[in-house]
Amino acid sequence: MSSSAQGLYSLATLIKRLEAITSRLEDVEDSRSAGHLKRQSTSTVTSAAIAEAPSVPPPPPPPPPPPPPPAIEVQSAVPRAVTVYDEIVIEGKLKPFLEINKAIAPPPLNEQVDLFAKVLATLRSVLHQAAACRKPDDDKALAEILSPLQAGIEAVTRAKEAARKEREWFNHFTVIADGTAFVGWVTVQPKPGPYVNEIKESTAYYANRILKDFKEKDPRHAEWVRAFNGVLDGMKRYVMELHTTGLVWNANGIPVSEYKSSRSQLVSGPPPPPPPPQAGSTSSPAAPAGGVAAVFADLNRGADVTKGLRKVDKSEMTHKNPALRAGSVVPASAGAAAKKPVKPSPVKPAKPQALMGKKPAKFALEGNKWIIEYQENESALEVANADITQVINLFACKNTTVIIKGKVNAVTLVNCTKTSVLVESVVSSVSITKSPSFALQITGVAPTIQIDSTDSGQIYLSKQCLGVEITTAKCSAINVSLPVEGEEDGVFEEQAMPEMLKTVVQNGKLVTSIVEHAG
């Protein structure tokens, strides 16, 4: 084939390929035009249909979520009672004591002191609540507020009992355990300050033993005792400045229940608002929450709360069927099975204990002091072979009789109730403080009897004890039984101590005399 023929062949092939490409481009353009016309026609038909159809209002938007309930306003600023407490007690006295204790104490004592510090932190929370709330009228609510203090005191006491093997340090443990009770001033009226001082005096015996035992070994223990006494002194100063007649509450404050709820909201934050309901969804009532919410929901039903109960048939009563008592199982009746189960009644919480919980009884001779504490319903506790150097201390005894044989230096009763003491002779004095319904009989000689803040008491004197001096302060219903002259032993004549006094001004001075009733 010639070259000219080959060129014509190539040209023809190229023209065919160009025509094929042109045909494909035209097909693509036609398809695009057809789709555009179809969309336009569809849009036109839809617009016409919407124009011909009656107007329908759009669905309403979902309602906004309800606003959260207004938060209860709580004092954002720290009350003055708390700031002064921090300044005097926590920063001024407690922190120095913690530092010296950490420097010398073994781990068990450090743990007890940490519990002691937690008790003071709990007291700070109580002071903060009292500054924000009105005093609750219900004793149960007040006991609930003070129950954490009681739990803290018990924890400190348990730490002492668990450390009895620490013989060298046991006096330290005892000082902390006995001194922690000073936070009980929040329950004392009208003079909580002297109460703190009484607690300090109750720890003096063991504190003095620490000073004696470590005088030559380590002088830092003397600093430890001074630092702990400083905590008690700081507390007394704080009480005398801001709570002279008792724990001060905010007369214009909020109720205690609102304070608790507001504090929980501040700690955990308010719950997130619920999501808006979806369109077309039907709302169903939520199931009642469990716990306290369920209890109040049932109570709000009124008389309907007992509708779920049924009358027990006689055949199902265990007290009328010995066979049921033996089997310990009551068969369910068919009617009972068909009914819905009744929710068990909520368990009533146990009543909180008093702030000063019951402590273990004690009857021991420590040094030259007989320690008789927390004895109850003891008919004849006997202190035998007592000598002239010994002191008998009774504290927080109840319905107890103590017989003291021998001549002793002194006898003291503090916070005892219905306690009787029979003593032969006393060298210095018999002191009775805050011990109502006491009975004291002296068969020998005693120079002085001192009675303070005590209501109702009976004193029996022997013929040798008629020269005794009896001083009273803030007392009532105190009777003294004197032996009858010429009668045998055991025959007494009862006479009442005067309670009513008359004071007049004479020559610029106050003159007080006893009011006597004639007739």
Side-chain angles (χ1 to χ4, degrees):
M1 181 179 294
S2 64
S3 59
S4 60
Q6 291 180 354
L8 292 174
Y9 177 75
S10 299
L11 180 60
T13 301
L14 182 60
I15 292 173
K16 289 182 179 180
R17 293 178 64 183
L18 290 174
E19 289 177 350
I21 292 173
T22 304
S23 177
R24 289 180 182 179
L25 292 174
E26 290 176 352
D27 294 338
V28 171
E29 183 66 18
D30 293 339
S31 63
R32 289 182 177 179
S33 301
H36 177 70
L37 292 175
K38 184 177 181 181
R39 286 195 300 269
Q40 185 175 4
S41 61
T42 303
S43 176
T44 305
V45 172
T46 304
S47 301
I50 292 175
E52 293 176 0
S55 60
V56 178
I72 301 171
E73 296 183 1
V74 182
Q75 297 176 354
S76 57
V78 180
R80 179 175 178 269
V82 178
T83 57
V84 176
Y85 176 79
D86 292 340
E87 178 183 353
I88 296 179
V89 180
I90 302 299
E91 299 292 337
K93 301 298 181 180
L94 178 61
K95 285 191 175 181
F97 171 67
L98 296 179
E99 292 176 0
I100 185 62
N101 180 79
K102 188 176 182 181
I104 67 173
L109 183 58
N110 276 324
E111 293 176 3
Q112 189 196 35
V113 171
D114 290 341
L115 295 174
F116 172 74
K118 290 181 180 179
V119 172
L120 295 186
T122 304
L123 177 60
R124 184 184 188 276
S125 301
V126 173
L127 296 174
H128 199 290
Q129 185 170 359
C133 303
R134 298 190 297 269
K135 183 177 181 180
D137 298 330
D138 187 7
D139 292 339
K140 184 178 180 181
L142 183 60
E144 184 179 356
I145 295 172
L146 300 180
S147 59
L149 282 178
Q150 164 64 23
I153 294 174
E154 292 177 353
V156 174
T157 304
R158 286 194 299 268
K160 166 200 166 185
E161 298 300 329
R164 288 191 173 273
K165 61 182 180 180
E166 303 283 345
R167 296 182 179 274
E168 188 178 11
W169 296 88
F170 193 69
N171 289 329
H172 298 72
F173 284 96
T174 305
V175 168
I176 298 295
D178 294 349
T180 307
F182 78 136
V183 299
W185 68 263
V186 296
T187 64
V188 178
Q189 289 180 343
K191 293 184 178 182
Y195 171 82
V196 178
N197 195 57
E198 291 175 6
I199 297 299
K200 179 184 176 182
E201 291 177 354
S202 69
T203 65
Y205 174 74
Y206 296 98
N208 291 335
R209 292 184 64 173
I210 295 174
L211 297 176
K212 178 181 177 182
D213 294 343
F214 290 90
K215 182 178 181 180
E216 304 296 336
K217 297 180 181 179
D218 190 348
R220 293 181 299 175
H221 290 263
E223 298 179 11
W224 188 93
V225 171
R226 286 193 295 268
F228 180 77
N229 287 336
V231 177
L232 275 66
D233 292 337
M235 183 67 74
K236 180 182 178 182
R237 174 189 166 193
Y238 168 75
V239 172
M240 296 301 292
E241 286 186 9
L242 297 180
H243 305 274
T244 308
T245 59
L247 180 61
V248 177
W249 296 78
N250 188 350
N252 299 322
I254 60 176
V256 173
S257 58
E258 295 184 9
Y259 177 85
K260 290 182 179 179
S261 62
S262 62
R263 295 294 294 178
S264 61
Q265 289 181 6
L266 289 176
V267 173
S268 60
Q278 299 180 357
S281 64
T282 58
S283 60
S284 60
V292 179
V295 175
F296 283 104
D298 285 342
L299 292 177
N300 290 332
R301 291 164 54 192
D304 294 340
V305 72
T306 58
K307 282 187 176 180
L309 304 178
R310 67 182 180 87
K311 185 176 181 180
V312 180
D313 189 74
K314 292 183 178 180
S315 62
E316 298 174 353
M317 297 181 180
T318 56
H319 65 284
K320 293 187 178 181
N321 296 275
L324 294 180
R325 290 199 298 271
S328 300
V329 177
V330 180
S333 62
K339 295 183 179 181
K340 295 182 179 179
V342 180
K343 293 183 179 180
S345 58
V347 179
K348 185 177 180 180
K351 183 178 181 179
Q353 296 179 350
L355 184 60
M356 299 298 294
K358 183 179 179 181
K359 294 185 178 181
K362 188 173 183 180
F363 185 87
L365 175 61
E366 298 180 353
N368 65 337
K369 294 184 179 181
W370 280 94
I371 308 299
I372 305 174
E373 298 179 344
Y374 306 106
Q375 300 287 342
E376 289 190 12
N377 303 319
E378 295 290 343
S379 58
L381 287 177
E382 183 174 324
V383 179
N385 301 323
D387 60 51
I388 198 171
T389 64
Q390 294 177 351
V391 176
I392 313 298
N393 293 330
L394 284 79
F395 180 77
C397 296
K398 186 176 182 181
N399 296 328
T400 299
T401 299
V402 179
I403 302 173
I404 304 171
K405 293 186 177 181
K407 192 173 186 178
V408 297
N409 185 277
V411 178
T412 63
L413 282 78
V414 179
N415 290 339
C416 296
T417 303
K418 295 183 179 180
T419 300
S420 302
V421 177
L422 174 62
V423 59
E424 292 184 5
S425 295
V426 180
V427 175
S428 60
S429 66
V430 178
S431 177
I432 302 171
T433 305
K434 296 181 180 178
S435 299
S437 303
F438 75 91
L440 171 66
Q441 182 172 0
I442 302 174
T443 59
V445 180
T448 305
I449 299 176
Q450 300 174 346
I451 310 174
D452 186 14
S453 303
T454 299
D455 295 327
S456 181
Q458 191 76 32
I459 301 174
Y460 298 89
L461 301 179
S462 65
K463 295 180 179 179
Q464 298 84 6
C465 196
L466 296 180
V468 67
E469 294 182 358
I470 303 176
T471 60
T472 60
K474 296 185 293 184
C475 297
S476 63
I478 306 297
N479 297 320
V480 180
S481 295
L482 304 177
V484 179
E485 188 71 26
E487 297 287 346
E488 61 182 4
D489 292 341
V491 179
F492 295 92
E493 178 185 0
E494 184 179 275
Q495 298 185 22
M497 295 282 292
E499 300 178 18
M500 186 176 296
L501 305 177
K502 178 179 68 175
T503 302
V504 296
V505 180
Q506 292 182 359
N507 301 324
K509 295 182 179 181
L510 297 179
V511 179
T512 303
S513 59
I514 299 173
V515 176
E516 297 182 358
H517 297 277

